[in-house]
Amino acid sequence: SRRRRHTRLAILSRGLGDVYKRQLKARAVENAELAAKKNPDQLNIALIGAGAQGRILTESCLRIPGVRFVAVCDIWEYNQRYTSRYIQKYGHDVNVYVDYKEMLANEKDQLDAVVVATPDWMHAEHANACMEAGLHVYCEKEMSNSLEKAATMVKTAAATGMVMQIGHQRRSNPRYIHAIEKLIHQEKLLGSVTTATAQWNRAKADDIGWPEKYTMDAETLDRFGYNSMTEFRNWRWYKKYGGGPIVDLGSHQIDLFEWVWETNPKTVIASGGTDFYDHREWYDNVMCVYEYDTPEGVARAFYETQTTTGHRGFSEAFRGTNGTIEIAEVPQRGNSALREAHAPEWDVFAKNGLIKKVAAPIKKTSTKNVAVDVRVTAEAGAWPLPVDLTKPAHQPHLENFFNAIRYGTELNCPAHKGYETCVAVLAVNRAVASQQRIEFNPSDFHV
């Protein structure tokens, strides 16, 4: 009967599932034994994806003691030559590969970890293959432009026992840790944080070009899934490869909203469009509003990304009943707390070194008809944050990753945390397309 047939299929499925689980467990044990034999003081790594972001991560890795490049992999000769030669200037002998599968086959026994900085659509394939080969992975954000693919990364990390860090580097930035963990969470400097705003705006720009002599032939492009050099070089604008500016830029800052409120959003609404660059697929401007349920009530966050104006650049503001923290990865764009006039005095925080006090005397400003007492200068003066980052922005996050491998240090952005942000960010494009409010279920954020 149909019922008996379904029962047999269910039993068979459970049996196959048990076999798969045993295989994964055995692989995890094998990976752990292999890792135990390696020298934690000397970590050998490879880079998959040697383009602009890969070079930024390479620069930071080269500054970290005990980390040595063994291999570089990229499908484009220009990236291979540029990045491998740069690494070799620092005394690292690297083998260069076009196909990551060949690299893993030849190098995995010498490697401890891989840095993945390829276009978003390939992150899952590359990261999963590396973890299944017994290698730890640092993967650039966004985890993927597909939630289904991102979920496989979380599962593979759990099944193999490999360390996996997602590249939301602000989570390891000491300035952000001080502002969010110390001032907002622990000291309650801002009171109840009710709203937040953030933006990343860039001036209009032409498509990214390439040296003519390094043009890949159509066969090579097709082999690796690209339709043209224009799409390969500008992959972030195309739906097959990326998620557009809201994913490329917004991921970093939307992730901070979840950090500040220690919860995932419950809804998002968004508006945007391809209004200027009519030959690109993804929206060139997006504005969105998230809602969060907090112990103090509903909180809201506004985010925008524009690609036709660089006005105000990129920064974030967390706004509470007692004050606001304005911060940015580049301190010149945001680096202070501003107290509300009615709030308790902050001198004790300054005395304890949590913020810096800058004297702001009352001034008299004269106009033709009246003298104005500008007390707002004294009441709402900026209190600079006392913590500086003297390293490249990505270095602390990579250090956290390598320390997790060496010493078991807790990751600042493990796979499951990166997945939560991926869910929140990718939903914005859906909200723009549908022109409807997206409502999240708590289960949406868990694999």
Side-chain angles (χ1 to χ4, degrees):
S1 71
R2 181 183 301 175
R3 180 176 296 177
R4 286 197 297 271
R5 188 162 59 251
H6 283 316
T7 300
R8 287 197 300 272
L9 287 173
I11 294 172
L12 178 61
S13 296
R14 285 198 300 270
L16 290 174
D18 291 341
V19 170
Y20 181 61
K21 288 177 182 177
R22 287 196 296 271
Q23 290 174 340
L24 288 177
K25 186 176 181 179
R27 185 183 297 163
V29 171
E30 182 182 342
N31 290 340
E33 292 174 348
L34 181 62
K37 297 177 182 178
K38 295 181 178 179
N39 178 8
D41 295 326
Q42 174 67 52
L43 295 178
N44 292 335
I45 68 171
L47 174 68
I48 303 179
Q53 190 61 30
R55 293 170 206 154
I56 290 173
L57 297 176
T58 295
E59 174 69 28
S60 289
C61 288
L62 290 169
R63 293 170 175 262
I64 301 174
V67 174
R68 190 165 193 84
F69 281 96
V70 171
V72 171
C73 180
D74 197 283
I75 67 171
W76 192 28
E77 182 185 1
Y78 180 88
N79 285 343
Q80 297 166 15
R81 291 166 61 91
Y82 184 100
T83 304
S84 64
R85 290 179 178 182
Y86 183 82
I87 291 172
Q88 288 166 352
K89 288 180 180 179
Y90 286 80
H92 298 221
D93 292 326
V94 294
N95 295 320
V96 178
Y97 295 89
V98 174
D99 191 329
Y100 78 93
K101 295 177 182 177
E102 182 184 359
M103 185 196 80
L104 290 178
N106 293 342
E107 308 283 358
K108 68 177 182 179
D109 291 340
Q110 285 73 47
L111 288 171
D112 298 287
V114 178
V115 174
V116 175
T118 48
D120 294 357
W121 73 302
M122 292 301 295
H123 284 175
E125 180 176 330
H126 293 152
N128 287 337
C130 291
M131 288 187 286
E132 288 169 354
L135 305 175
H136 306 292
V137 173
Y138 180 104
C139 182
E140 254 306 331
K141 63 86 214 149
E142 192 66 62
M143 282 186 80
S144 177
N145 60 337
S146 157
L147 281 182
E148 292 75 19
K149 289 182 179 180
T152 68
M153 298 163 74
V154 179
K155 293 176 181 178
T156 303
T160 61
M162 294 294 101
V163 172
M164 184 179 192
Q165 177 99 299
I166 306 302
H168 292 285
Q169 72 271 5
R170 284 168 176 77
R171 285 186 174 264
S172 296
N173 187 317
R175 295 179 58 248
Y176 281 85
I177 293 173
H178 179 77
I180 296 175
E181 295 291 349
K182 191 73 172 179
L183 298 181
I184 295 177
H185 291 166
Q186 182 175 322
E187 301 295 335
K188 308 296 183 184
L189 180 75
L190 306 184
S192 177
V193 180
T194 57
T195 62
T197 64
Q199 78 288 320
W200 196 322
N201 296 335
R202 288 178 171 174
K204 74 179 187 68
D206 296 329
D207 285 352
I208 301 172
W210 62 92
E212 188 64 30
K213 70 176 183 177
Y214 287 107
T215 300
M216 280 191 282
D217 60 78
E219 182 179 350
T220 301
L221 287 165
D222 182 67
R223 174 189 171 193
F224 292 106
Y226 294 94
N227 296 316
S228 66
M229 279 298 291
T230 297
E231 289 190 10
F232 169 68
R233 293 289 286 148
N234 299 275
W235 60 267
R236 290 176 173 86
W237 287 105
Y238 295 91
K239 294 182 178 181
K240 178 180 178 181
Y241 313 117
I246 189 64
V247 173
D248 180 39
L249 304 176
S251 293
H252 289 293
Q253 296 159 299
I254 293 169
D255 178 62
L256 299 179
F257 301 152
E258 300 187 14
W259 188 6
V260 166
W261 283 307
E262 300 181 280
T263 189
N264 304 124
K266 67 173 186 175
T267 69
V268 65
I269 58 174
S271 178
T274 308
D275 302 325
F276 188 80
Y277 301 101
D278 56 7
H279 64 291
R280 298 174 180 177
E281 292 181 357
W282 276 124
Y283 314 120
D284 53 44
N285 69 97
V286 176
M287 299 179 178
C288 62
V289 177
Y290 288 94
E291 289 182 335
Y292 297 80
D293 275 333
T294 76
E296 292 81 21
V298 175
R300 291 182 175 86
F302 169 78
Y303 186 79
E304 73 165 342
T305 180
Q306 305 292 325
T307 57
T308 56
T309 172
H311 180 247
R312 295 180 61 234
F314 56 93
S315 65
E316 305 89 42
F318 310 118
R319 307 186 300 195
T321 51
N322 289 340
T324 295
I325 287 179
E326 294 182 342
I327 191 170
E329 199 167 43
V330 177
Q332 292 80 356
R333 294 184 180 273
N335 190 46
S336 63
L338 298 98
R339 187 177 69 85
E340 294 283 337
H342 66 267
E345 293 296 333
W346 283 359
D347 296 294
V348 65
F349 296 110
K351 183 178 179 180
N352 292 333
L354 298 173
I355 52 177
K356 295 180 182 179
K357 183 174 182 179
V358 175
I362 296 174
K363 298 179 180 179
K364 296 286 185 177
T365 300
S366 297
T367 67
K368 184 176 182 180
N369 299 315
V370 65
V372 181
D373 189 354
V374 190
R375 295 183 184 273
V376 69
T377 305
E379 294 291 339
W383 301 64
L385 304 180
V387 178
D388 296 319
L389 174 62
T390 58
K391 303 174 181 178
H394 297 77
Q395 186 172 335
H397 208 42
L398 285 157
E399 289 172 343
N400 175 245
F401 170 63
F402 294 130
N403 287 340
I405 297 171
R406 286 170 166 150
Y407 316 118
T409 303
E410 184 177 354
L411 285 173
N412 288 335
C413 193
H416 71 270
K417 181 58 62 178
Y419 181 80
E420 292 177 23
T421 297
C422 194
V423 172
V425 174
L426 294 186
V428 177
N429 280 334
R430 287 169 34 222
V432 174
S434 67
Q435 289 296 287
Q436 294 179 345
R437 176 192 298 266
I438 301 294
E439 295 186 357
F440 299 105
N441 290 317
S443 60
D444 293 339
F445 296 94
H446 303 286
V447 176

